[in-house]
Amino acid sequence: MIPFVDLKTQLKALRPEIDEVISRVIDQGHFVLGPAVSAFEEKFSTYCRTDHCVGVNSGASALHLALLAAGVGPGDEVITVSMTFVATVAAVLYCGAKPVFVDVDPDRWTMAPELIEAAITPRTKAILPVHLHGLMADMDPIMAVARRHGIVLVEDAAQSHGAEYKGRRAGSIGDIGCFSFYPGKNLGGFGEGGAVVTRDAGLARTVRLLRDWGQEEKYRHVLPGYNYRMDAIQGAILNLKMDYIEGWTEDRRRLAQVYDQELAAIGQKRPSAPSDTRHVYHVYSIEHPRRDALQAALTTAGIGTGIHYPVPVHLQPAYENLGYGRGDLPVTEALAERFLSLPMYPELAPDQVVQVCRELERAHAAEQIEPASRAPSARETNKVLESV
Ligand SMILES: *Cc1c(COP(=O)(O)O)cnc(C)c1O
Protein backbone atom coordinates (compact mmCIF):
# COMPACT_ATOMS: atom_id res chain seq x y z
CA MET A 1 0.00 0.00 0.00
CA ILE A 2 1.25 3.46 -0.93
CA PRO A 3 -1.24 6.08 0.26
CA PHE A 4 -1.83 9.30 -1.68
CA VAL A 5 -1.12 11.40 1.42
CA ASP A 6 0.43 10.55 4.76
CA LEU A 7 0.36 13.17 7.50
CA LYS A 8 0.89 10.68 10.33
CA THR A 9 4.55 9.86 9.72
CA GLN A 10 5.52 13.52 9.95
CA LEU A 11 3.43 14.02 13.06
CA LYS A 12 5.13 11.06 14.74
CA ALA A 13 8.57 12.54 14.17
CA LEU A 14 7.54 16.00 15.37
CA ARG A 15 5.19 14.95 18.17
CA PRO A 16 7.36 15.87 21.19
CA GLU A 17 8.09 19.35 19.80
CA ILE A 18 4.47 19.87 18.77
CA ASP A 19 3.20 18.90 22.22
CA GLU A 20 5.65 21.33 23.77
CA VAL A 21 4.64 24.37 21.69
CA ILE A 22 0.94 23.63 22.18
CA SER A 23 1.47 23.35 25.95
CA ARG A 24 3.25 26.67 25.95
CA VAL A 25 0.28 28.39 24.26
CA ILE A 26 -2.10 26.82 26.74
CA ASP A 27 0.07 27.89 29.67
CA GLN A 28 0.30 31.45 28.30
CA GLY A 29 -3.48 31.51 27.90
CA HIS A 30 -3.28 33.71 24.80
CA PHE A 31 -5.35 31.73 22.30
CA VAL A 32 -6.02 34.13 19.43
CA LEU A 33 -3.26 36.11 17.61
CA GLY A 34 -0.67 37.21 20.21
CA PRO A 35 3.06 36.44 20.41
CA ALA A 36 2.89 32.97 18.82
CA VAL A 37 1.19 34.34 15.70
CA SER A 38 3.48 37.41 15.52
CA ALA A 39 6.56 35.19 15.71
CA PHE A 40 5.26 33.07 12.85
CA GLU A 41 4.32 36.12 10.75
CA GLU A 42 7.85 37.46 11.12
CA LYS A 43 9.41 34.17 10.00
CA PHE A 44 7.02 33.61 7.13
CA SER A 45 7.44 37.13 5.77
CA THR A 46 11.23 36.63 5.72
CA TYR A 47 10.77 33.22 4.08
CA CYS A 48 8.66 34.76 1.28
CA ARG A 49 11.15 37.67 0.97
CA THR A 50 8.44 40.23 1.58
CA ASP A 51 8.16 42.89 4.28
CA HIS A 52 4.83 42.06 5.88
CA CYS A 53 2.84 38.95 6.74
CA VAL A 54 -0.64 38.89 8.26
CA GLY A 55 -1.82 35.54 9.62
CA VAL A 56 -5.48 34.69 9.09
CA ASN A 57 -7.77 31.71 9.64
CA SER A 58 -7.71 30.19 6.12
CA GLY A 59 -6.44 30.56 2.58
CA ALA A 60 -9.92 31.63 1.50
CA SER A 61 -9.88 34.43 4.09
CA ALA A 62 -6.42 35.49 2.88
CA LEU A 63 -7.74 35.78 -0.69
CA HIS A 64 -10.88 37.61 0.42
CA LEU A 65 -8.96 40.20 2.45
CA ALA A 66 -6.22 40.62 -0.18
CA LEU A 67 -8.85 41.43 -2.80
CA LEU A 68 -10.71 43.80 -0.45
CA ALA A 69 -7.47 45.59 0.44
CA ALA A 70 -6.72 45.87 -3.29
CA GLY A 71 -10.00 47.76 -3.61
CA VAL A 72 -12.05 45.02 -5.29
CA GLY A 73 -15.77 45.58 -4.74
CA PRO A 74 -19.24 45.22 -6.28
CA GLY A 75 -19.27 45.78 -10.04
CA ASP A 76 -15.55 45.05 -10.42
CA GLU A 77 -14.08 42.22 -12.45
CA VAL A 78 -11.19 39.98 -11.43
CA ILE A 79 -9.36 37.96 -14.09
CA THR A 80 -8.50 34.48 -12.85
CA VAL A 81 -8.42 30.81 -13.89
CA SER A 82 -10.93 28.00 -13.61
CA MET A 83 -8.28 25.29 -13.12
CA THR A 84 -8.04 25.88 -9.36
CA PHE A 85 -9.66 25.05 -6.07
CA VAL A 86 -13.04 26.82 -5.78
CA ALA A 87 -11.78 29.14 -3.01
CA THR A 88 -9.96 31.33 -5.57
CA VAL A 89 -13.23 32.09 -7.33
CA ALA A 90 -15.37 32.18 -4.17
CA ALA A 91 -13.13 34.93 -2.74
CA VAL A 92 -13.85 37.13 -5.77
CA LEU A 93 -17.59 36.58 -5.25
CA TYR A 94 -17.27 37.38 -1.49
CA CYS A 95 -16.20 40.88 -2.61
CA GLY A 96 -19.29 41.23 -4.77
CA ALA A 97 -17.05 41.20 -7.85
CA LYS A 98 -17.27 39.10 -11.01
CA PRO A 99 -14.70 36.41 -11.82
CA VAL A 100 -13.57 36.53 -15.45
CA PHE A 101 -11.86 33.33 -16.56
CA VAL A 102 -8.97 32.96 -18.95
CA ASP A 103 -7.66 29.57 -20.03
CA VAL A 104 -4.39 28.07 -18.83
CA ASP A 105 -1.23 27.30 -20.77
CA PRO A 106 -1.32 23.69 -22.02
CA ASP A 107 2.21 22.92 -20.78
CA ARG A 108 2.56 25.00 -17.66
CA TRP A 109 -1.09 24.57 -16.59
CA THR A 110 -1.19 28.11 -15.15
CA MET A 111 -2.79 31.34 -16.47
CA ALA A 112 -1.96 31.87 -20.16
CA PRO A 113 -0.43 35.39 -20.25
CA GLU A 114 -1.33 36.00 -23.91
CA LEU A 115 -5.06 35.63 -23.16
CA ILE A 116 -5.24 38.27 -20.41
CA GLU A 117 -5.28 41.42 -22.53
CA ALA A 118 -8.47 40.41 -24.38
CA ALA A 119 -10.25 39.80 -21.05
CA ILE A 120 -9.55 43.28 -19.68
CA THR A 121 -12.44 45.75 -19.52
CA PRO A 122 -12.79 49.16 -17.82
CA ARG A 123 -14.13 47.23 -14.78
CA THR A 124 -11.09 44.97 -14.38
CA LYS A 125 -9.68 45.63 -10.91
CA ALA A 126 -7.31 42.74 -10.31
CA ILE A 127 -5.57 39.79 -11.94
CA LEU A 128 -5.46 36.66 -9.76
CA PRO A 129 -3.19 33.92 -11.14
CA VAL A 130 -2.86 30.60 -9.30
CA HIS A 131 0.51 28.87 -8.81
CA LEU A 132 -0.96 25.45 -9.51
CA HIS A 133 0.52 22.29 -7.94
CA GLY A 134 3.52 24.28 -6.68
CA LEU A 135 4.68 25.74 -10.01
CA MET A 136 4.52 29.51 -10.29
CA ALA A 137 2.56 31.08 -13.13
CA ASP A 138 4.60 32.84 -15.84
CA MET A 139 4.78 36.05 -13.81
CA ASP A 140 6.86 38.38 -16.01
CA PRO A 141 4.37 38.66 -18.89
CA ILE A 142 1.43 38.60 -16.44
CA MET A 143 2.94 41.44 -14.40
CA ALA A 144 3.66 43.36 -17.59
CA VAL A 145 -0.05 43.33 -18.54
CA ALA A 146 -1.08 44.29 -15.00
CA ARG A 147 1.37 47.22 -14.89
CA ARG A 148 0.46 48.41 -18.39
CA HIS A 149 -3.20 48.68 -17.38
CA GLY A 150 -2.65 49.80 -13.77
CA ILE A 151 -4.35 46.67 -12.44
CA VAL A 152 -3.55 45.10 -9.05
CA LEU A 153 -1.94 41.66 -9.08
CA VAL A 154 -2.89 39.18 -6.35
CA GLU A 155 -1.07 35.82 -6.25
CA ASP A 156 -2.92 32.70 -5.13
CA ALA A 157 0.11 30.95 -3.64
CA ALA A 158 -1.91 28.48 -1.54
CA GLN A 159 -0.08 25.56 -3.19
CA SER A 160 3.36 27.07 -3.53
CA HIS A 161 5.13 27.87 -0.25
CA GLY A 162 8.76 28.56 -1.13
CA ALA A 163 8.26 28.23 -4.89
CA GLU A 164 10.42 30.54 -7.01
CA TYR A 165 10.24 32.28 -10.38
CA LYS A 166 13.52 33.71 -11.69
CA GLY A 167 14.88 33.74 -8.14
CA ARG A 168 11.86 35.44 -6.62
CA ARG A 169 9.58 33.72 -4.15
CA ALA A 170 5.86 33.01 -4.51
CA GLY A 171 3.84 35.84 -3.00
CA SER A 172 6.60 38.43 -3.47
CA ILE A 173 6.15 39.35 -7.13
CA GLY A 174 2.58 40.67 -7.28
CA ASP A 175 1.19 43.40 -5.06
CA ILE A 176 -0.03 40.88 -2.53
CA GLY A 177 0.25 37.09 -2.06
CA CYS A 178 -2.09 34.62 -0.38
CA PHE A 179 -1.24 31.34 1.34
CA SER A 180 -3.18 28.49 2.93
CA PHE A 181 -1.94 26.36 5.82
CA TYR A 182 -4.66 23.72 5.52
CA PRO A 183 -3.19 20.47 6.94
CA GLY A 184 -2.45 18.92 3.53
CA LYS A 185 -0.61 21.95 2.10
CA ASN A 186 3.21 22.01 1.92
CA LEU A 187 3.17 24.01 5.16
CA GLY A 188 0.13 22.86 7.12
CA GLY A 189 -1.23 23.54 10.58
CA PHE A 190 -3.40 21.30 12.75
CA GLY A 191 -6.58 22.98 11.60
CA GLU A 192 -7.36 25.94 9.37
CA GLY A 193 -4.90 28.73 8.64
CA GLY A 194 -3.75 31.20 6.01
CA ALA A 195 -1.66 34.32 5.48
CA VAL A 196 -1.29 37.38 3.31
CA VAL A 197 2.19 38.66 2.43
CA THR A 198 3.12 41.97 0.81
CA ARG A 199 5.86 44.58 0.50
CA ASP A 200 3.22 47.34 0.75
CA ALA A 201 2.78 48.65 4.29
CA GLY A 202 -0.60 50.18 3.44
CA LEU A 203 -2.04 46.93 2.10
CA ALA A 204 -0.66 45.05 5.13
CA ARG A 205 -2.28 47.53 7.50
CA THR A 206 -5.67 47.21 5.78
CA VAL A 207 -5.53 43.39 5.87
CA ARG A 208 -4.49 43.51 9.54
CA LEU A 209 -7.50 45.69 10.35
CA LEU A 210 -9.95 43.64 8.28
CA ARG A 211 -8.99 40.30 9.88
CA ASP A 212 -9.89 41.62 13.34
CA TRP A 213 -13.20 43.46 12.97
CA GLY A 214 -11.53 46.57 11.56
CA GLN A 215 -10.30 47.43 15.05
CA GLU A 216 -7.56 50.05 15.22
CA GLU A 217 -7.62 49.77 18.98
CA LYS A 218 -9.97 47.91 21.27
CA TYR A 219 -13.58 48.86 20.41
CA ARG A 220 -12.55 51.46 17.87
CA HIS A 221 -13.66 50.06 14.49
CA VAL A 222 -12.36 52.02 11.52
CA LEU A 223 -13.35 49.49 8.82
CA PRO A 224 -16.22 47.01 8.60
CA GLY A 225 -14.15 43.89 9.20
CA TYR A 226 -14.32 40.17 9.84
CA ASN A 227 -13.29 37.59 12.39
CA TYR A 228 -10.51 36.05 10.29
CA ARG A 229 -7.89 35.91 13.06
CA MET A 230 -5.30 33.14 13.28
CA ASP A 231 -5.39 30.87 16.36
CA ALA A 232 -2.31 31.00 18.57
CA ILE A 233 -1.99 27.19 18.51
CA GLN A 234 -1.81 27.25 14.69
CA GLY A 235 0.72 30.09 14.81
CA ALA A 236 2.90 28.12 17.25
CA ILE A 237 2.74 24.91 15.20
CA LEU A 238 3.43 26.73 11.92
CA ASN A 239 6.30 28.61 13.54
CA LEU A 240 7.85 25.31 14.60
CA LYS A 241 7.32 23.80 11.15
CA MET A 242 9.19 26.72 9.54
CA ASP A 243 12.39 25.04 10.79
CA TYR A 244 11.59 22.07 8.55
CA ILE A 245 9.89 23.53 5.46
CA GLU A 246 13.06 23.84 3.37
CA GLY A 247 14.07 20.25 4.09
CA TRP A 248 10.59 18.98 3.25
CA THR A 249 10.56 21.01 0.04
CA GLU A 250 13.91 19.56 -1.02
CA ASP A 251 12.59 16.06 -0.23
CA ARG A 252 9.62 16.72 -2.54
CA ARG A 253 11.93 17.99 -5.28
CA ARG A 254 14.18 14.92 -4.99
CA LEU A 255 11.16 12.62 -5.24
CA ALA A 256 9.94 14.57 -8.27
CA GLN A 257 13.33 13.96 -9.90
CA VAL A 258 12.87 10.22 -9.38
CA TYR A 259 9.37 10.44 -10.90
CA ASP A 260 10.74 12.48 -13.82
CA GLN A 261 13.43 9.92 -14.60
CA GLU A 262 11.17 6.90 -14.25
CA LEU A 263 8.34 8.45 -16.26
CA ALA A 264 10.68 9.56 -19.05
CA ALA A 265 11.85 5.94 -19.27
CA ILE A 266 8.28 4.72 -19.87
CA GLY A 267 7.35 7.53 -22.25
CA GLN A 268 4.94 9.27 -19.89
CA LYS A 269 4.84 13.08 -20.16
CA ARG A 270 6.01 14.69 -16.91
CA PRO A 271 4.86 17.97 -15.36
CA SER A 272 6.57 21.06 -16.69
CA ALA A 273 9.18 22.65 -14.42
CA PRO A 274 11.04 25.36 -16.38
CA SER A 275 14.67 25.79 -15.33
CA ASP A 276 14.06 29.37 -14.16
CA THR A 277 11.53 28.14 -11.58
CA ARG A 278 11.64 26.25 -8.32
CA HIS A 279 8.66 23.87 -8.43
CA VAL A 280 7.72 22.81 -4.89
CA TYR A 281 5.50 19.88 -5.94
CA HIS A 282 2.50 20.35 -3.69
CA VAL A 283 1.04 17.94 -6.22
CA TYR A 284 2.87 15.75 -8.75
CA SER A 285 0.37 15.35 -11.56
CA ILE A 286 0.59 13.62 -14.90
CA GLU A 287 -1.70 13.86 -17.92
CA HIS A 288 -3.18 10.80 -19.56
CA PRO A 289 -5.99 10.39 -22.13
CA ARG A 290 -7.25 7.29 -20.30
CA ARG A 291 -6.91 8.73 -16.83
CA ASP A 292 -9.84 6.88 -15.25
CA ALA A 293 -8.54 3.48 -16.37
CA LEU A 294 -5.06 4.36 -15.16
CA GLN A 295 -6.40 5.48 -11.80
CA ALA A 296 -8.45 2.28 -11.43
CA ALA A 297 -5.38 0.15 -12.20
CA LEU A 298 -3.30 1.99 -9.60
CA THR A 299 -6.08 1.68 -7.01
CA THR A 300 -6.17 -2.09 -7.62
CA ALA A 301 -2.39 -2.16 -7.12
CA GLY A 302 -2.82 -0.42 -3.74
CA ILE A 303 -1.57 2.98 -4.86
CA GLY A 304 -3.53 6.03 -3.81
CA THR A 305 -4.03 8.83 -6.34
CA GLY A 306 -5.95 12.11 -6.55
CA ILE A 307 -7.28 14.48 -9.22
CA HIS A 308 -6.59 18.22 -8.97
CA TYR A 309 -9.18 19.05 -10.21
CA PRO A 310 -11.75 16.76 -11.89
CA VAL A 311 -14.34 19.49 -12.58
CA PRO A 312 -13.14 23.03 -13.32
CA VAL A 313 -14.80 25.80 -11.33
CA HIS A 314 -16.72 27.20 -14.32
CA LEU A 315 -18.47 23.83 -14.78
CA GLN A 316 -19.41 23.39 -11.10
CA PRO A 317 -23.17 23.55 -10.41
CA ALA A 318 -22.60 26.25 -7.78
CA TYR A 319 -21.04 28.59 -10.34
CA GLU A 320 -23.32 27.96 -13.34
CA ASN A 321 -24.71 31.47 -13.02
CA LEU A 322 -21.33 32.98 -13.91
CA GLY A 323 -22.33 32.36 -17.49
CA TYR A 324 -19.64 29.94 -18.62
CA GLY A 325 -20.24 26.56 -20.19
CA ARG A 326 -18.47 23.56 -21.65
CA GLY A 327 -16.19 24.58 -24.49
CA ASP A 328 -15.39 28.03 -23.10
CA LEU A 329 -12.02 27.00 -21.62
CA PRO A 330 -10.85 24.08 -23.77
CA VAL A 331 -7.39 23.57 -22.22
CA THR A 332 -8.75 23.69 -18.67
CA GLU A 333 -11.53 21.26 -19.57
CA ALA A 334 -9.17 18.82 -21.28
CA LEU A 335 -6.77 18.88 -18.33
CA ALA A 336 -9.61 18.16 -15.89
CA GLU A 337 -10.22 14.93 -17.80
CA ARG A 338 -6.54 14.02 -18.06
CA PHE A 339 -4.97 14.98 -14.73
CA LEU A 340 -3.88 12.25 -12.35
CA SER A 341 -1.99 13.15 -9.16
CA LEU A 342 0.51 10.59 -7.88
CA PRO A 343 1.63 10.13 -4.25
CA MET A 344 3.88 13.03 -3.18
CA TYR A 345 4.93 13.92 0.36
CA PRO A 346 8.32 14.37 2.03
CA GLU A 347 8.05 11.07 3.89
CA LEU A 348 7.56 9.03 0.71
CA ALA A 349 10.57 6.80 -0.05
CA PRO A 350 12.30 7.00 -3.46
CA ASP A 351 11.79 3.25 -3.97
CA GLN A 352 8.07 3.77 -3.43
CA VAL A 353 8.14 6.30 -6.28
CA VAL A 354 9.85 3.67 -8.43
CA GLN A 355 7.14 1.19 -7.42
CA VAL A 356 4.38 3.66 -8.44
CA CYS A 357 6.07 4.06 -11.83
CA ARG A 358 6.38 0.27 -12.28
CA GLU A 359 2.62 -0.01 -11.72
CA LEU A 360 2.03 2.86 -14.15
CA GLU A 361 4.11 1.03 -16.74
CA ARG A 362 2.07 -2.13 -16.17
CA ALA A 363 -1.18 -0.14 -16.50
CA HIS A 364 0.09 1.50 -19.71
CA ALA A 365 0.80 -1.93 -21.15
CA ALA A 366 -2.59 -3.26 -20.10
CA GLU A 367 -4.25 -0.25 -21.73
CA GLN A 368 -2.52 -1.00 -25.02
CA ILE A 369 -3.56 -4.63 -24.92
CA GLU A 370 -7.16 -3.88 -24.04
CA PRO A 371 -8.50 -2.69 -27.44
CA ALA A 372 -7.14 -5.86 -29.09
CA SER A 373 -8.65 -8.11 -26.46
CA ARG A 374 -12.21 -7.47 -27.68
CA ALA A 375 -13.50 -9.29 -30.76
CA PRO A 376 -12.22 -7.55 -33.92
CA SER A 377 -14.89 -5.90 -36.06
CA ALA A 378 -15.65 -7.22 -39.54
CA ARG A 379 -13.76 -4.27 -41.04
CA GLU A 380 -10.69 -4.99 -38.97
CA THR A 381 -10.88 -8.69 -39.87
CA ASN A 382 -11.16 -7.82 -43.57
CA LYS A 383 -8.13 -5.54 -43.28
CA VAL A 384 -6.15 -8.33 -41.68
CA LEU A 385 -7.24 -10.73 -44.42
CA GLU A 386 -6.36 -8.21 -47.15
CA SER A 387 -2.90 -7.69 -45.74
CA VAL A 388 -2.06 -11.38 -45.65
C1 LIG B 1 -6.20 25.29 -0.59
C2 LIG B 1 -6.40 26.37 -1.58
C3 LIG B 1 -7.12 27.54 -1.28
C4 LIG B 1 -7.96 27.71 -0.03
O1 LIG B 1 -7.31 27.54 1.15
P1 LIG B 1 -8.15 27.16 2.47
O2 LIG B 1 -7.13 27.32 3.54
O3 LIG B 1 -8.64 25.78 2.31
O4 LIG B 1 -9.26 28.16 2.59
C5 LIG B 1 -7.18 28.54 -2.23
N1 LIG B 1 -6.57 28.41 -3.41
C6 LIG B 1 -5.90 27.30 -3.76
C7 LIG B 1 -5.26 27.22 -5.10
C8 LIG B 1 -5.82 26.23 -2.85
O5 LIG B 1 -5.16 25.12 -3.21
Side-chain angles (χ1 to χ4, degrees), residues 57-63 83-89 91 94 129-133 156-160 178-183 185 191-195 282 308-309:
N57 63 348
S58 76
S61 302
L63 287 160
M83 180 43 72
T84 183
F85 183 63
V86 287
T88 314
V89 177
Y94 294 167
V130 177
H131 304 320
L132 194 75
H133 299 172
D156 184 340
Q159 302 185 359
S160 60
C178 304
F179 289 88
S180 164
F181 307 120
Y182 187 74
K185 299 286 160 96
E192 306 283 353
H282 172 55
H308 301 88
Y309 295 90

Side-chain angles (χ1 to χ4, degrees), residues 32-33 54-56 65 206-230:
V32 178
L33 298 177
V54 185
V56 293
L65 297 191
T206 305
V207 172
R208 213 170 274 282
L209 286 171
L210 289 173
R211 78 166 166 186
D212 187 20
W213 296 117
Q215 292 190 94
E216 199 173 52
E217 56 193 74
K218 201 165 174 67
Y219 302 133
R220 184 180 147 73
H221 304 267
V222 295
L223 286 175
Y226 301 82
N227 174 1
Y228 281 176
R229 298 172 300 227
M230 179 180 269

Side-chain angles (χ1 to χ4, degrees), residues 283-296:
V283 165
Y284 189 99
S285 185
I286 57 168
E287 266 187 74
H288 199 278
R290 304 214 50 200
R291 184 266 313 280
D292 292 342
L294 215 56
Q295 183 173 41

